[in-house]
Amino acid sequence: MSAVLLSVRDLSVTYGERRVSFIPEITVEAGECVAIVGESGSGKTSALLALLGLQPGAHVTGSVNMFDVVDVLDDPARISGLLGRKVALVSQSPISALNPTMRIGKFAEAVLRKHGRTKAQAREQVVEALAAVALNESVLRRYPHQISGGQAQRFAIALALSLGVELIVADEPTSALDVTVQADIVTLLESLRRDRGLGMLIVSHDIALVSGFADHVIVMKDGEVVESGTVHEVIGSPTTDYARALIDAVPHLDRSVL
């Protein structure tokens, strides 16, 4: 049985008197991908950021256990102690998280040194991780404006790998990319999950993308979960009109392959 990396129960995100997101259950095991899907405003990203302690101003309740740390929501220091060590967030636009005045290599070095690596260790681990995501180390000499969106996404994944994380949490990791690059990133994530046993929790509006990648799918609408199950159950035999509408909106989604 695979190790449970993330266990979430009754996660609720509220602003004032308005609850924007509620998910009864999420479980991510090593080597497993769980996808949260839904249209814009469905509450999926709010939930994702909340369980990482990254929703300032929100009232967040529920139980979130990561690795061997229980109820991380009770103490922000528990979450910050895991970020960059066990779990990494890959954002929708990773290039915006980079320092525009700093070469990418220097940025990577600063991140790894903050997590206890020496300068030599940081360089070695970043170069090794770049190779794993098919990026030449020459990218380290460039500034953020000198790389493409696909390269920025690959670099963000490489940085997570160099930190040695076991769980990648990704918010719309392909939405800002063109179709060809999207396919490359999906293939990369799938190979890393398979070869390294990484756990992944991915938020996406693209149900076609998750149909060929995720093991389990959670469908959200208006802040609530309307359907949840294996990818075969949710994509192959949806039980709600909303999930069926999301699937029918995707051109040429061949359910026979599921």
Side-chain angles (χ1 to χ4, degrees):
M1 183 178 178
S2 298
V4 175
L5 308 182
L6 174 67
S7 177
V8 177
R9 298 293 182 272
D10 297 326
L11 180 68
S12 176
V13 185
T14 305
Y15 286 93
E17 298 182 354
R18 180 171 178 258
R19 188 168 74 179
V20 298
S21 186
F22 178 74
I23 300 182
E25 181 178 358
I26 305 172
T27 301
V28 183
E29 297 183 355
E32 181 180 48
C33 177
V34 176
I36 305 174
V37 300
E39 60 192 323
S40 296
S42 61
K44 55 190 188 298
T45 296
S46 294
L48 185 84
L49 297 178
L51 65 88
L52 294 177
L54 300 176
Q55 280 288 67
H59 179 58
V60 183
T61 60
S63 172
V64 177
N65 302 332
M66 292 186 190
F67 302 93
D68 56 349
V69 183
V70 178
D71 289 333
V72 296
L73 293 178
D74 291 347
D75 184 356
R78 294 179 184 175
I79 300 179
S80 61
L82 293 170
L83 290 173
R85 185 173 64 87
K86 291 281 194 177
V87 58
L89 172 66
V90 175
S91 66
Q92 181 175 349
S93 179
I95 203 164
S96 64
L98 300 175
N99 186 330
T101 68
M102 185 183 292
R103 293 184 192 273
I104 289 171
K106 285 294 184 183
F107 179 86
E109 178 187 319
V111 171
L112 267 74
R113 295 200 70 176
K114 183 177 180 180
H115 287 277
R117 275 63 161 188
T118 66
K119 184 175 182 178
Q121 288 173 332
R123 173 76 183 187
E124 179 183 356
Q125 291 172 3
V126 168
V127 169
E128 180 182 348
L130 289 176
V133 301
L135 274 182
N136 190 284
E137 65 180 274
S138 63
V139 75
L140 297 175
R141 296 192 293 272
R142 300 178 189 173
Y143 289 93
H145 71 275
Q146 295 175 315
I147 64 174
S148 67
Q151 288 173 322
Q153 197 65 278
R154 286 176 181 271
F155 173 74
I157 296 169
L159 192 56
L161 294 178
S162 65
L163 289 165
V165 302
E166 299 173 45
L167 174 65
I168 288 180
V169 179
D171 181 16
E172 299 279 9
T174 63
S175 65
L177 308 174
D178 64 47
V179 174
T180 302
V181 180
Q182 284 181 3
D184 290 342
I185 295 298
V186 168
T187 300
L188 170 62
L189 290 173
E190 174 63 21
S191 66
L192 293 173
R193 181 169 72 108
R194 181 184 64 247
D195 299 341
R196 299 185 178 226
L198 292 175
M200 296 184 182
L201 178 62
I202 293 179
V203 157
S204 179
H205 69 280
D206 190 341
I207 203 164
L209 177 144
V210 304
S211 69
F213 183 53
D215 298 296
H216 295 270
V217 178
I218 298 168
V219 182
M220 295 193 70
K221 181 180 188 294
D222 298 330
E224 304 288 336
V225 174
V226 297
E227 192 151 357
S228 179
T230 68
V231 67
H232 301 280
E233 292 167 343
V234 175
I235 308 296
S237 302
T239 60
T240 63
D241 291 339
Y242 181 70
R244 202 171 293 115
L246 285 179
I247 295 166
D248 290 342
V250 178
H252 311 302
L253 180 58
D254 185 1
R255 296 184 205 174
S256 67
V257 302
L258 300 174

